[in-house]
């Protein structure tokens, strides 16, 4: 089962995730992080930046990227990762990849998978979840075995992300994303969600049937998952009392 931790707010979740990352980096200074974009993971990056640790050897692989934005577009995930992660955390930009950043798009997925394998795999993957249940940009119907590839965004995701663009029509139609199979290979998944708008997606991911219709439910197949949610995002979980009890009674060596 995933470890479900119900926190008071985003900042508390960010602290927990940042501590897990720092513990990893203390063991392995060139740890490989899976980096998510969107509003949710900002809590993690802010908490990490405040700790001021040396992360200059950490390697990173972004989860996903839009297809079709002009190079350097401020909402491209390369730009977002540079602004929100690489610069504030002092990562080496040469050690951070974004899907589709090299070579033709047709072969970019296979190239990205190879690069992750050559790096020794992702140690800790940070994840948000879409209101439609996607993780990465693996929209409903994505194969649990999928690897990095080009996908078409759902109308819901384009609507959700329109807030970052001048007009909803400017949100790209396509993306390139790590697959559910790629995510499954990471050694530790840390999924964060905040607010009532994520409650249904979290309930489906954590307690719903394992189905491609709820891509987040793929986490139920992973041996080491931490789900950090606020009260609102936890509000549709049936077993919430048990999750609180289990976390309150965790054993001294049990961390995320
Ligand atoms: P958000 O996006 O963090 O901006 O809500 C999450 C996601 O779409 O994965």
């Amino acid at each position: 089962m995933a470890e479900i931790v119900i926190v008071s707010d985003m900042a508390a979740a960010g602290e927990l995730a940042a501590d897990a990352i720092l513990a990893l980096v203390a063991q392995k200074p060139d740890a490989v992080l899976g980096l998510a974009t969107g509003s949710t993971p900002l809590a993690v990056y802010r908490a990490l930046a405040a700790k001021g640790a040396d992360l200059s050897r950490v390697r990173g692989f972004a989860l996903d990227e839009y297809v079709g934005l002009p190079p350097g577009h401020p909402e491209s995930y390369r730009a977002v990762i540079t602004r929100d992660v690489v610069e504030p955390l002092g990562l080496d930009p040469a050690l951070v990849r974004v899907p589709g950043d090299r070579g033709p798009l047709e072969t970019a997925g296979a190239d990205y998978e190879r690069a992750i394998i050559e790096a020794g795999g992702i140690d800790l993957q940070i994840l948000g979840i879409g209101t439609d249940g996607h993780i990465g940009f693996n929209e409903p119907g994505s194969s649990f075995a999928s690897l990095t590839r080009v996908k078409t965004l759902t109308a819901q995701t384009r609507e959700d992300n329109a807030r970052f663009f001048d007009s909803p029509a400017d949100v790209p139609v396509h993306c390139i994303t790590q697959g559910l199979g790629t995510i499954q290979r990471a050694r530790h998944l840390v999924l964060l969600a905040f607010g009532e708008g994520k409650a249904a997606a979290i309930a489906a991911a954590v307690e719903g049937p394992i189905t491609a219709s709820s891509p987040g439910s793929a986490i139920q197949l992973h041996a080491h998952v931490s789900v950090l949610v606020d009260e609102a995002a936890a509000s549709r979980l049936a077993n919430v009392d048990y999750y609180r009890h289990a976390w309150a009674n965790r054993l001294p060596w049990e961390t995320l």
Side-chain angles (χ1 to χ4, degrees), residues 37-41 128-130 134 136 163 198:
T37 49
S39 311
T40 305
I129 190 164
H134 70 214
R163 67 190 194 277
K198 298 293 175 72

Side-chain angles (χ1 to χ4, degrees), residues 37-41 63-64 77 127-132 134-137 157 160-161 163-164 192 194 198:
T37 49
S39 311
T40 305
L63 258 182
D64 44 19
Y77 286 172
L127 294 170
I129 190 164
T131 58
D132 70 355
H134 70 214
I135 54 175
F137 270 142
T157 297
D160 287 349
N161 289 5
R163 67 190 194 277
F164 297 114
L192 303 100
F194 310 113
K198 298 293 175 72

Side-chain angles (χ1 to χ4, degrees), residues 22-137:
L22 288 186
L24 167 67
V25 173
Q27 297 287 319
K28 184 178 178 185
D30 64 347
V32 180
L33 298 182
L35 302 168
T37 49
S39 311
T40 305
L42 288 174
V44 181
Y45 305 136
R46 285 195 192 118
L48 256 183
K51 291 176 191 287
D54 176 9
L55 302 176
S56 59
R57 292 180 56 201
V58 165
R59 294 165 291 164
F61 286 91
L63 258 182
D64 44 19
E65 175 60 293
Y66 292 115
V67 168
L69 290 179
H73 189 289
E75 291 308 327
S76 71
Y77 286 172
R78 165 60 79 184
V80 171
I81 290 275
T82 300
R83 200 163 60 224
D84 292 342
V85 187
V86 172
E87 288 171 354
L89 300 186
L91 301 192
D92 177 350
L95 300 180
V96 177
R97 297 267 328 251
V98 174
D101 60 357
R102 290 189 198 159
L105 199 53
E106 290 84 338
T107 53
D111 168 70
Y112 205 65
E113 291 294 327
R114 213 167 22 246
I116 292 172
I117 290 168
E118 280 168 12
I122 291 171
D123 293 302
L124 185 150
Q125 174 66 60
I126 301 165
L127 294 170
I129 190 164
T131 58
D132 70 355
H134 70 214
I135 54 175
F137 270 142

